[in-house]
Structure formats: C-alpha cells, structure tokens
Amino acid sequence: MKIKLVALDMDGTLMNSKSQLSQGNQAVLEKAMKAGIYIVPATGRVYSTLPEAVKNLPGVKYVLSSNGAAVYRVGEASPIYTNFMSKQKALEIFHAIEGISCIKEFYVEGYGYFEQSILQKIDTFDIPEAFRQFYGIQKKTVESIQTLLQSDIKGVEKINLPWITAQTRAELLKCLSSIEGIALTSSIGQNIEINRKGANKGDGLKGLCDVIGLDMSQVMAIGDSANDLEMIQEAGWGVAMANGEKQIKEIADFITLSNDEDGVGYAIEKFCFGK
C-alpha cells in the first residue's frame, strides 16, 4: 500500500501529554512532507486554535477542523469542504441546554464563540493550564449566543461543551437525547462535542480526498479518541495510539506507541518508509 496522506489527530495523538509537538515527531513529519506525503492535522479543535507549532510546519497544506465539519487550505479564510449544522438546529440545542451551567462554545467560520458572562466564572471550571489561553484570547466572546445564531452566518461547525463534571455530562446528555439530526462524541473525558449527523473526521477526510484527487485507500489515519473512530474506519490504514481508548484500538489495523513515546513518528516511519 502506497500511503500518500497521513491524517493526524492532535490532542492525545500528535501532541504529547504537555500539549507539545516533540522534536522527534516534528522531524518525521518534515521527512514525510519532503517525500511528497500530505500531512493533515485532523482535530476537534476549531481552526483558529490549531497549535502554531503544527500550523507553521512547512508543507502542511490542509487542516480538518471541528471534527471534519470544516476543511481548510492553510492560509485561506474560507473552507474548501463543509458539513455544517443549520442555524435552526444550533438554536434548538442552545435552548435545550441553556439552563445548565457550563461553558458552551459554538464554532462558526473558523472561530470558537462563547458568552462573555462565562469569563466572570471561568476559574470555577477545571481547565488545564495549556487550554486556559483559549478563553478571551484565541476564542471570541459575544454578549449573546442566540444573537450570533440569528445573524448572517452560514451554519455552525460544532458545539463544544468542555470541562464538565460527570454530573453535568449526565444532565446535558439527558437534554440532548431527544434532539434529532445530531452526532455526539468526545475527544477528552470531560467534554461533549456536537456535530451535524454525518459530520465527522471520516467524512471530512473523504471530502478532502475528493478535492485533491486521492483515494481513501491511500490514507493512513492516526488517533486515540471517540471522535477519531470514523476516520480510522474509513482510512486505508487505521492506527490507534497506545494511550487510546479501547474502542479505537479494537477497530485499528495497528496500535502504535503512546503520544509521549512519539507514536505518530513511529507509525509513519514503519508504514511510509518501511522502518
């Protein structure tokens, strides 16, 4: 099998437990790109919060963001493939969970938006230091999410409900259970991610491959969490991280080393270069 594109989840996969890109992984990515292999970050993150260390790697041309709901060509403001949730569906979700106290992020046009009132109680949420910078800096505040959703936007990429307790998760899932046409997943244990049904990293990968003229059999996908499941299933070669969830390991063609052992670099060397 000739691998021409490698799709990489970010958190828990390419990035180590300190949310850093290791020198070892970076060196292998650069080697792969010099060999003509597309390296494509495939993340649940919204495009604007992609790590600079990844976005600035020479040769990274495309990014799957918001679980594949928006695929960007690096440096361009508009996505080349989308699978958005309608504004009406996003409003339905917003009203269903409005009374539950948690951070509610709405990913729109490459940015994450949350209500300004959250900043007054941001310290009450268990947010790791590496992600605190997102709030008020890399993500945008609005006075009203409802007003945002009623404005002239094309749709919503994803709704993210991060840093929630087990009790809050249960309350949210109960509220969301009766809403049709949505897909729920997670990238970490403390969040719920909501996309349009059918919008996932596997779908985004197919959309990208159609644009650049590749077959999915030429793709290797590497991930660790529930939101990586479809792309690992759809790719010609699916790889799970050693630190990955059980359900991901069960469907993968290969289990590589952990994200703290440069598991991404190991898999690329093994399957792209035969080492």
Side-chain angles (χ1 to χ4, degrees):
M1 180 183 63
K2 178 69 173 178
I3 294 171
K4 295 186 177 180
L5 185 153
V6 180
L8 301 170
D9 171 57
M10 293 287 95
D11 301 302
T13 299
L14 180 60
M15 312 302 283
N16 61 24
S17 57
K18 296 180 180 179
S19 294
Q20 298 172 338
L21 174 63
S22 71
Q23 291 183 349
N25 274 340
Q26 181 171 336
V28 176
L29 295 186
E30 291 174 352
K31 176 181 176 180
M33 287 185 286
K34 286 179 181 177
I37 298 169
Y38 289 102
I39 295 296
V40 179
T43 180
R45 297 192 192 195
V46 69
Y47 182 60
S48 61
T49 63
L50 190 75
E52 291 298 316
V54 176
K55 192 186 296 184
N56 294 335
L57 276 174
V60 173
K61 298 179 180 179
Y62 303 99
V63 174
L64 269 72
S65 65
S66 301
N67 288 337
V71 181
Y72 286 86
R73 185 179 282 112
V74 173
E76 296 185 5
S78 298
I80 59 174
Y81 176 80
T82 62
N83 196 346
F84 291 163
M85 180 189 305
S86 71
K87 293 188 289 184
Q88 292 75 21
K89 182 60 65 175
L91 272 168
E92 181 183 354
I93 294 167
F94 174 73
H95 289 309
I97 63 174
E98 190 174 8
I100 299 177
S101 179
C102 65
I103 301 172
K104 304 173 183 76
E105 303 173 4
F106 286 70
Y107 293 0
V108 176
E109 297 174 357
Y111 288 92
Y113 292 86
F114 64 100
E115 291 191 339
Q116 191 170 3
S117 59
I118 286 292
L119 290 177
Q120 300 170 6
K121 51 184 178 181
I122 199 72
D123 291 335
T124 65
F125 300 104
D126 186 21
I127 306 173
E129 193 61 36
F131 292 93
R132 282 188 172 272
Q133 61 178 314
F134 289 168
Y135 296 98
I137 301 176
Q138 288 182 282
K139 293 182 181 178
K140 297 185 176 185
T141 60
V142 292
E143 186 174 341
S144 166
I145 286 292
Q146 180 168 326
T147 300
L148 171 69
L149 296 177
Q150 292 172 333
S151 67
D152 186 24
I153 60 173
K154 295 179 180 178
V156 174
E157 298 172 15
K158 190 181 91 168
I159 300 170
N160 190 37
L161 309 173
W163 321 121
I164 53 177
T165 64
Q167 179 179 344
T168 301
R169 171 186 285 274
E171 292 174 9
L172 287 165
L173 290 175
K174 183 177 180 180
C175 291
L176 294 167
S177 62
S178 62
I179 298 178
E180 297 182 352
I182 62 174
L184 307 181
T185 189
S186 298
S187 57
I188 56 175
Q190 307 104 306
N191 81 339
I192 297 173
E193 302 176 16
I194 311 168
N195 285 90
R196 177 185 180 183
K197 188 175 182 179
N200 54 63
K201 293 183 184 182
D203 177 74
L205 259 183
K206 286 181 179 178
L208 173 60
C209 285
D210 286 344
V211 170
I212 62 179
L214 292 182
D215 189 270
M216 287 293 284
S217 65
Q218 298 170 304
V219 174
M220 178 166 72
I222 309 178
D224 73 307
S225 299
N227 69 340
D228 300 315
L229 188 146
E230 288 87 357
M231 76 169 182
I232 289 176
Q233 285 179 319
E234 297 289 346
W237 196 247
V239 177
M241 303 297 294
N243 54 286
E245 296 177 8
K246 181 181 178 181
Q247 62 176 322
I248 301 302
K249 292 179 179 179
E250 287 176 345
I251 63 165
D253 298 299
F254 179 74
I255 299 174
T256 188
L257 304 176
S258 76
N259 64 323
D260 285 326
E261 299 172 298
D262 291 352
V264 162
Y266 179 81
I268 293 175
E269 287 279 21
K270 182 177 181 66
F271 296 110
C272 295
F273 298 105
K275 294 187 178 181

